[in-house]
């Protein structure tokens, strides 16, 4: 996908108060005011959204949303079903032309979806090279498969892969394009618990090695706490809460800072008070 800079006409104005989810924000490992790794500082946001609105008939799914994602930043977005998480991701990927507002994604973008979406009549390696316009495409694809632990599955048919292997192939297909913005649409939700933990480790290792900006859409609060530099709560088509996480990885889910943040995020998602009290009792 070629670098894009898309501006779409915004016919909507909003006066309601919004959470500020725009830059400046700290990079993935650098405190505010210090350089972002890999020479990404000063390059501007990996993605910038202003006043983004999307309607489906009479229903407004995104309502004047503002957001910046810094180069190399790992952002997780949570929210109840139907709040517009995947709609925002599709807009950032250039897959939805029905939005209004301003949307800027100046670099390469790649997407990994909940379903791996591998082409079933092409072998794994051919799935990675499909549409890849780069010198030595096969060598680049083989290197990506090696990174995700699938070097020995290059010649396999997609239907012979396990769920975890298929998602690793999907990640390799996204990373082979060297995106500056990686969009992850609930890619681990269909995996069993042990496979999901392994995928979390893999995603973090790939992110630390390549440092794309990442927007992860998830319903799993603990997944967001494990992976992200910043967690956004989407509600009523806008960002209702933004929570930075300044803790080193790997993270202990019982860390006091995460315990308090978990309860706050669940409250933002509308979990009833009595359920929050029960959850709080489960943690030291």
């Amino acid at each position: 996908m070629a670098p894009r800079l898309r501006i779409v006409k915004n016919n909507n104005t909003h006066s309601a108060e919004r959470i500020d989810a725009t830059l400046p924000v700290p990079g993935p490992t650098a405190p505010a005011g210090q350089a972002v790794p890999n020479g990404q500082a000063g390059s501007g946001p990996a993605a910038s959204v202003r006043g983004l609105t999307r309607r489906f008939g009479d229903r407004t799914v995104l309502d004047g949303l503002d957001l910046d994602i810094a180069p190399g930043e790992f952002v997780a977005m949570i929210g109840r079903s139907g709040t517009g998480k995947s709609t925002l991701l599709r807009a950032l990927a250039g897959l939805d032309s029905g939005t209004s507002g301003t949307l800027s994604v100046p670099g390469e973008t790649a997407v990994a979806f909940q379903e791996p979406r591998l082409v079933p009549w092409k072998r794994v390696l051919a799935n990675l090279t499909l549409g890849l316009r780069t010198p030595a495409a096969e060598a680049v694809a083989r290197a990506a498969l090696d990174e995700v632990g699938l070097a020995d599955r290059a010649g396999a048919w997609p239907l012979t892969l396990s769920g975890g292997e298929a998602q690793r192939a999907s990640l390799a297909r996204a990373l082979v394009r060297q995106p500056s913005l990686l969009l992850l649409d609930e890619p681990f939700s269909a995996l069993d618990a042990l496979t999901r933990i392994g995928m979390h480790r893999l995603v973090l290792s790939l992110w630390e090695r390549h440092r794309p900006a990442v927007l992860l859409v998830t319903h799993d609060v603990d997944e967001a706490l494990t992976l992200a530099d910043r967690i956004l709560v989407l509600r009523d088509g806008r960002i209702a809460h933004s929570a930075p996480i300044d803790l080193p990885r790997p993270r202990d889910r019982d860390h006091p800072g995460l315990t308090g943040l978990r309860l706050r995020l669940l409250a933002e998602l509308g979990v009833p008070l009595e359920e929050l009290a029960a959850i709080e009792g489960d943690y030291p």
Side-chain angles (χ1 to χ4, degrees):
M1 185 181 298
R4 296 177 295 108
L5 182 60
R6 298 196 299 117
I7 307 295
V8 286
K9 185 177 180 181
N10 182 8
N11 297 317
N12 306 282
T13 58
H14 303 274
S15 58
E17 182 180 359
R18 302 190 188 101
I19 297 295
D20 185 5
T22 58
L23 290 175
V25 296
T29 59
Q34 295 185 12
V36 177
N38 294 344
Q40 294 173 328
S43 59
S48 182
V49 173
R50 295 292 183 275
L52 194 69
T53 297
R54 180 63 163 104
R55 293 189 175 91
F56 295 93
D58 295 333
R59 183 180 175 223
T60 300
V61 177
L62 298 176
D63 190 12
L65 184 144
D66 295 338
L67 171 66
D68 283 337
I69 301 175
E73 184 185 19
F74 201 127
V75 177
M77 178 170 287
I78 60 177
R80 289 184 173 273
S81 296
T83 55
K85 302 183 301 297
S86 293
T87 300
L88 173 60
L89 186 144
R90 287 176 57 82
L92 288 168
L95 300 175
D96 188 343
S97 60
T99 57
S100 63
T102 303
L103 190 154
S104 172
V105 184
E108 292 280 350
T109 305
V111 189
F113 295 98
Q114 181 176 350
E115 307 83 15
R117 300 191 183 184
L118 301 173
V119 178
W121 55 85
K122 289 185 176 290
R123 297 181 189 269
V124 170
L125 182 65
N127 265 273
L128 267 67
T129 58
L130 183 64
L132 184 61
R133 298 180 180 88
T134 186
E138 182 173 324
V140 172
R142 288 188 181 277
L145 287 174
D146 186 55
E147 280 196 283
V148 300
L150 289 179
D152 61 343
R153 303 291 275 157
W157 295 104
L159 292 179
T160 68
L161 301 179
S162 68
E165 287 176 332
Q167 279 298 0
R168 281 189 277 157
S170 178
L171 276 174
R173 184 179 56 186
L175 288 170
V176 80
R177 284 152 177 80
Q178 299 181 336
S180 60
L181 177 64
L182 177 61
L183 303 169
L184 303 177
D185 192 5
E186 300 187 62
F188 317 124
S189 61
L191 302 177
D192 64 82
L194 289 178
T195 303
R196 191 181 305 122
I197 291 170
M199 289 299 295
H200 290 167
R201 292 172 180 158
L202 175 62
V203 165
L204 284 177
S205 69
L206 293 171
W207 169 73
E208 288 170 353
R209 193 175 306 141
H210 297 279
R211 285 302 171 93
V214 176
L215 178 61
L216 166 68
V217 167
T218 180
H219 284 95
D220 188 335
V221 171
D222 280 325
E223 182 172 87
L225 291 169
T226 296
L227 298 175
D229 299 310
R230 184 168 48 131
I231 300 177
L232 306 176
V233 178
L234 193 62
R235 186 171 64 240
D236 298 328
R238 299 180 183 176
I239 294 169
H241 183 67
S242 177
I245 304 177
D246 188 20
L247 290 174
R249 300 176 180 89
R251 292 170 180 160
D252 180 356
R253 72 189 305 270
D254 295 329
H255 188 285
L258 293 185
T259 301
L261 181 54
R262 180 183 294 107
L263 294 172
R264 171 65 189 270
L265 292 170
L266 290 171
E268 291 288 343
L269 291 172
V271 175
L273 185 61
E274 58 272 17
E275 292 185 26
L276 287 177
I279 293 169
E280 187 173 14
D282 290 337
Y283 294 94

